[in-house]
Amino acid sequence: MPKLNENYLNLKESYLFSEIAHRTASYIKENPDKPLIRLGIGDVTRPLCECVVKALHEGAEEMGKTETFRGYGPEQGYVQIRQAISDYYKRHGAAVDIESIFISDGAKSDTGNITELFGKGNRILIPDPVYPVYVDSNVMCGNAVTYIEGNEENAFLPMPDWSVAADIIYICSPNNPTGACYSTEQLQEWVDYALKNKAVILFDAAYEAFISRPGLPRSIYQCKGAKRCAIEFCSLSKTAGFTGTRCGYTIVPKELVFKSSTGKKMSLNAMWNRRQSTKYNGTSYIVQKAAAAVFTEQGERECRENLEYYRGNAKIIMNTLTDLGISFFGGVNSPYIWLKCPNNMDSWDFFDFLLNKIQVVGTPGGGFGENGRKYFRLTSFGTHENTAEAMKRFHSLFFSEPIDK
């Protein structure tokens, strides 16, 4: 009989989005005549950009010809896409060497797999509320987690406690689920804290393209010293609609070198390279060719058009919540709107309330941590028509059934 990884027993019974899908499916089965509007899971609705589709076709054509066919590619990714990403960072004020860039199938996989580089006994700081993958991936390998409090008082942007040492720190900015975004000064303080403690920051920048206010950092590498303490994850899922196409990247600077228990120097860049070479065969050539098109002048322009579409949805949601007197965070530099549940409702009760009353599906904040129990996440990734209709239903609901907000 095999010995199993019993850490899985410590996971919550159901993954957040699986539970949402279950409750939604049950409602549809019982109410097939009531059309639902989904503003919950952060999946996109705009199609891939024209230049991306063109690159996909070109890549497929190349794979069908002997002279341009490609088999196994480099596990780190093709030079073309890595150079395009490096140039993109340079345009936004951060210098990133292509040998630090690793192409993958998305930030979710990499933020989960990165735990393999670290041993047991680390003090791990994870914000609450937070994207569930950070917590669950650590629970799966038996790591203990210390939560740092994100709340209304600190605008869901917790800052370091300099009296407490840490080894690994998770930061997501713009944040999922709250939409909060660190300033350069705030992010620099986290970098300074990590350098002081010889800690590693795992920085999730999946939503950096949504930042619209000038001066806010798009990358942690815009902070001084960050290459000596930070790994950055990013994704084309929301930036370019690759949720179904699957492509992301992780940046592991060569400056990230630490000593082992025996005093031997170990490079996280070399370790991640070995991990990927051993366990990952690389992202498909066709997808990487399409991803490279995202970083062209035409690609960035077309992606911005889609991002503006989603920003328009966010404005519709924010204007409605403002009219109703419901407090919220996010929506400006993020595709997510983090609202305070009316009447101090529990987030899962509010989920059922919206589902049954107006057939609108959102994401209960309780699924992101204890500090999210009284909050609710809406996404701007729907269509204009569905977003407007959902907010029309919000108006109808709260004006017909006024409750203390």
Side-chain angles (χ1 to χ4, degrees):
M1 178 177 174
K3 292 182 176 63
L4 305 181
N5 182 355
E6 297 183 6
N7 293 313
Y8 276 70
L9 297 173
N10 298 323
L11 291 168
K12 291 182 180 179
E13 187 172 328
S14 177
Y15 182 57
L16 168 62
F17 299 110
S18 298
E19 178 61 21
I20 291 172
H22 172 72
R23 294 194 187 198
T24 302
S26 296
Y27 182 86
I28 292 173
K29 185 177 181 180
E30 295 173 6
N31 303 274
D33 58 328
K34 295 183 178 181
L36 262 63
I37 297 177
R38 301 173 189 266
L39 299 180
I41 294 177
D43 200 357
V44 296
T45 52
R46 300 292 293 166
L48 294 171
C49 296
E50 181 180 339
C51 67
V52 170
V53 175
K54 180 181 178 182
L56 284 169
H57 283 294
E58 290 175 353
E61 289 291 333
E62 290 175 30
M63 294 296 281
K65 298 176 182 178
T66 302
E67 60 272 21
T68 53
F69 171 78
R70 289 170 175 80
Y72 289 124
E75 292 89 350
Q76 301 85 354
Y78 287 96
V79 171
Q80 178 189 14
I81 175 64
R82 295 162 77 196
Q83 185 63 59
I85 292 169
S86 178
D87 293 342
Y88 175 77
Y89 271 72
K90 186 176 181 180
R91 290 195 293 274
H92 290 288
V96 176
D97 190 283
I98 67 167
E99 293 186 359
S100 299
I101 299 170
F102 297 80
I103 308 302
S104 70
D105 64 353
K108 181 178 181 179
S109 300
D110 286 357
T111 54
N113 292 331
I114 202 73
T115 56
E116 295 180 28
L117 302 192
F118 304 102
K120 302 295 183 183
N122 285 304
R123 184 178 180 87
I124 301 170
L125 302 186
I126 297 183
D128 178 357
V130 73
Y131 184 44
V133 172
Y134 306 161
V135 176
D136 289 353
S137 59
N138 277 283
V139 171
M140 287 175 180
C141 54
N143 293 333
V145 169
T146 298
Y147 291 101
I148 47 179
E149 301 290 315
N151 50 48
E152 197 166 344
E153 287 67 36
N154 59 28
F156 293 98
L157 292 169
M159 298 302 294
D161 180 349
W162 288 79
S163 66
V164 177
D167 302 298
I168 299 169
I169 306 150
Y170 284 78
I171 296 177
C172 179
S173 180
N175 184 266
N176 178 14
T178 69
C181 186
Y182 281 105
S183 68
T184 302
E185 293 75 20
Q186 289 172 318
L187 202 54
Q188 184 66 60
E189 184 172 340
W190 273 113
V191 169
D192 293 342
Y193 170 82
L195 290 171
K196 176 181 179 292
N197 288 283
K198 297 182 180 179
V200 175
I201 296 173
L202 303 179
F203 186 76
D204 189 344
Y207 304 97
E208 56 85 20
F210 283 87
I211 294 176
S212 57
R213 287 182 177 167
L216 293 177
R218 303 276 288 265
S219 167
I220 198 167
Y221 301 121
Q222 291 174 248
C223 296
K224 184 179 180 180
K227 288 185 181 178
R228 292 186 284 121
C229 68
I231 294 173
E232 182 163 303
F233 308 89
C234 203
S235 167
L236 298 187
S237 288
K238 309 310 192 303
T239 300
F242 273 53
T243 51
T245 311
R246 306 309 306 149
C247 191
Y249 56 89
T250 293
I251 300 172
V252 189
K254 289 187 174 181
E255 291 87 339
L256 285 171
V257 177
F258 299 90
K259 288 185 178 180
S260 70
S261 58
T262 62
K264 184 178 180 179
K265 289 184 179 180
M266 298 183 71
S267 162
L268 291 184
N269 178 282
M271 291 171 67
W272 186 245
N273 184 60
R274 179 59 188 271
R275 189 269 170 203
Q276 294 297 83
S277 298
T278 302
K279 294 189 174 185
Y280 187 60
N281 268 337
T283 306
S284 76
Y285 169 73
I286 296 172
V287 168
Q288 290 191 61
K289 186 176 180 67
V294 171
F295 297 100
T296 64
E297 183 177 344
Q298 179 184 353
E300 289 195 46
R301 182 178 67 253
E302 292 177 354
C303 285
R304 281 196 299 270
E305 291 172 0
N306 282 344
L307 295 179
E308 284 303 315
Y309 182 94
Y310 297 131
R311 289 191 181 102
N313 288 342
K315 288 178 182 177
I316 293 171
I317 296 171
M318 291 189 292
N319 288 342
T320 299
L321 297 179
T322 300
D323 289 345
L324 295 172
I326 298 175
S327 63
F328 63 90
F329 296 81
V332 178
N333 300 298
S334 164
Y336 299 123
I337 294 88
W338 182 248
L339 66 93
K340 196 168 187 178
C341 296
N343 204 29
N344 201 35
M345 291 178 72
D346 175 83
S347 62
W348 279 106
D349 291 339
F350 191 58
F351 174 89
D352 291 332
F353 178 70
L354 293 180
L355 179 63
N356 287 284
K357 291 288 186 178
I358 58 174
Q359 294 75 56
V360 172
V361 177
T363 309
F368 297 101
E370 182 65 21
N371 286 4
R373 277 198 316 113
K374 301 296 183 180
Y375 292 85
F376 201 77
R377 193 192 77 174
L378 295 176
T379 171
S380 63
F381 287 124
T383 65
H384 278 337
E385 295 76 14
N386 282 346
T387 302
E389 173 61 25
M391 292 302 100
K392 181 180 178 181
R393 295 181 189 182
F394 259 71
H395 266 290
S396 175
L397 173 63
F398 288 109
F399 282 135
S400 64
E401 296 189 25
I403 57 178
D404 179 16
K405 297 180 282 291

